[in-house]
Amino acid sequence: MTERLRDQVDVEDPAVAELARLVRAADDLDPAPGAQHRVRERMAEPRQRWSWLHRPVVVLLVLLVVTPVVIAGVRTLVAPAPRPSPVAPVSDEATRSASSRPIASRRAIAPSPEPPATAQPIAIPEVRVPPAGSEAVAVPEVRAPRAGAAPASDARLEIHRSALVTAAPDAIASPVVSSEPAPAGPPARTPGPARVGGPRHTFAPSPPLVGGSATVAPAHEAELVLHALRLLRNDRDAAGALRELDLYRARFPDGDLAEEVLALSIEAHAALADGAARTLAAEYLRRFPHARFRALAERVQRASSSADDRPFR
Amino acid sequence: MSGDEIATLLGVPPATVRIHLHRARQAMIALVAQQRAQDER
């Protein structure tokens, strides 16, 4: 218990002694009549029943608990009741045609509540069959839906990108022999002799839509590039890879994998000792000056420059 | 009025009353010391 100030007589601190003296000199507190009685009465009163609610911590806790409950209740009331989905009868023909369509197209058609009798006929992908004797692969004129790409497709893109980065192109070691200066225009694809007679690959995930010798190329750009990558790196078929890459450029002019396709084209042309590799390398450095395959492009340019600098024999 | 009475009257814990009284006393002592220093000069 702290000693009252007025009772502190023998203290060493002169300030405290002075203060105690001042307090003692003051008159005793003479409360107004009834004031002390009111105080006593107030003390005798029981504490208010809900006074603990006034404490801020309690109020905060109550708000934290009540607010989510109220919000959930309001959402339940506001949200419309789920309507039964209209089930449209599907004929056998519609089912068959839908099953032979790419997944993205099926996904776009599936939620349509209209019955098949009134639905618009779905355009079957047009297949361009090459003329007899041509090496080109039949290409369905279907553009892969870019906005509707599924996460699995994105994952494939990433896998493909990593494959491109990790695999070291060993075909660049051979110098590129260029017989003419690099043209300034768009890269000219000169089919070399090695491009003829390469092994033909059919991509497994995409079933062929037409019979016979025509093969349907993969629908997704990642599959197309992956196919080209396999041809180039696994099968050492640079010509076939170039064919696939040209196909990609034709179908996806603004594709997401344009940079990778360009890098693969450089690698494939370099493997064929084609002078177009230098042009493509210059194009790559111009379009992607700080990209991942810059070293590849620069290596190809250096190799072709050293080949050009050789004295003519 | 005792500290407990003040606490009851104000609706605060008695320790709060005691700490307020202690701080008030320290402030008063500091004021007196300051006044004494000015007087001695």
Side-chain angles (χ1 to χ4, degrees):
Chain A
M1 191 71 182
T2 308
E3 190 182 7
R4 295 199 306 176
L5 198 55
R6 65 166 60 220
D7 297 336
Q8 295 180 0
V9 180
D10 298 328
V11 288
E12 295 178 359
D13 191 353
V16 177
E18 176 73 12
L19 188 59
R21 189 184 62 77
L22 287 173
V23 171
R24 279 194 301 271
D27 293 335
D28 288 338
L29 181 63
D30 188 14
Q36 197 164 6
H37 178 67
R38 285 198 299 274
V39 170
R40 302 290 179 193
E41 276 185 346
R42 180 85 180 269
M43 288 172 60
E45 287 176 0
R47 298 194 67 168
Q48 289 185 354
R49 197 170 181 178
W50 302 102
S51 61
W52 59 272
L53 275 178
H54 299 160
R55 293 178 182 270
V57 176
V58 176
V59 172
L60 192 63
L61 285 176
V62 169
L63 284 177
L64 284 177
V65 172
V66 169
T67 306
V69 176
V70 171
I71 290 175
V74 168
R75 278 185 182 170
T76 308
L77 291 176
V78 170
R83 291 177 298 178
S85 60
V87 178
V90 181
S91 65
D92 291 341
E93 285 186 23
T95 309
R96 259 183 268 121
S97 63
S99 63
S100 64
R101 216 166 281 125
I103 294 173
S105 305
R106 270 183 268 156
R107 196 178 300 143
I109 293 165
S112 171
E114 298 177 358
T118 58
Q120 294 291 328
I122 299 152
I124 298 174
E126 181 184 345
V127 177
R128 189 174 61 207
V129 180
S134 172
E135 277 265 331
V137 179
V139 184
E141 293 293 331
V142 181
R143 190 175 174 82
R146 305 189 54 182
S153 174
D154 294 340
R156 279 185 167 176
L157 285 178
E158 287 308 312
I159 290 169
H160 174 65
R161 285 176 196 275
S162 61
L164 276 175
V165 171
T166 52
D170 50 357
I172 309 305
S174 61
V176 177
V177 179
S178 175
S179 59
E180 56 185 5
R189 298 280 151 71
T190 54
R195 296 179 67 175
V196 181
R200 171 165 296 184
H201 292 262
T202 57
F203 199 78
S206 299
L209 291 181
V210 291
S213 60
T215 308
V216 175
H220 292 94
E221 45 186 319
E223 293 175 355
L224 202 54
V225 178
L226 194 60
H227 194 197
L229 184 69
R230 284 174 180 161
L231 285 174
L232 182 63
R233 302 261 173 90
N234 294 348
D235 303 338
R236 306 289 177 189
D237 180 15
L242 275 177
R243 219 164 31 234
E244 295 293 309
L245 295 171
D246 289 343
L247 198 61
Y248 177 93
R249 267 190 287 270
R251 293 177 57 191
F252 309 107
D254 299 322
D256 289 334
L257 296 172
E259 178 195 344
E260 284 79 6
V261 165
L262 191 53
L264 280 175
S265 300
I266 295 170
E267 188 179 332
H269 278 291
L272 293 172
D274 193 350
R278 183 179 179 180
T279 309
L280 290 178
E283 182 188 349
Y284 182 89
L285 291 175
R286 180 177 52 80
R287 288 176 60 186
F288 311 104
H290 303 292
R292 288 171 293 179
F293 305 107
R294 177 186 174 86
L296 165 72
E298 288 176 344
R299 212 159 44 224
V300 168
Q301 276 199 327
R302 274 198 305 270
S304 57
S305 299
S306 61
D308 287 345
D309 291 343
R310 278 182 204 155
F312 183 75
R313 283 185 239 179
Chain B
M1 193 178 292
S2 69
D4 291 342
E5 289 174 346
I6 296 171
T8 307
L9 189 64
L10 297 179
V12 295
T16 305
V17 174
R18 283 197 289 273
I19 194 67
H20 285 177
L21 284 174
H22 173 74
R23 286 173 184 168
R25 185 176 302 179
Q26 295 300 318
M28 284 296 294
I29 291 171
L31 278 175
V32 169
Q34 184 181 357
Q35 187 66 38
R36 283 173 59 88
Q38 285 182 359
D39 292 344
E40 287 175 1
R41 260 185 247 159

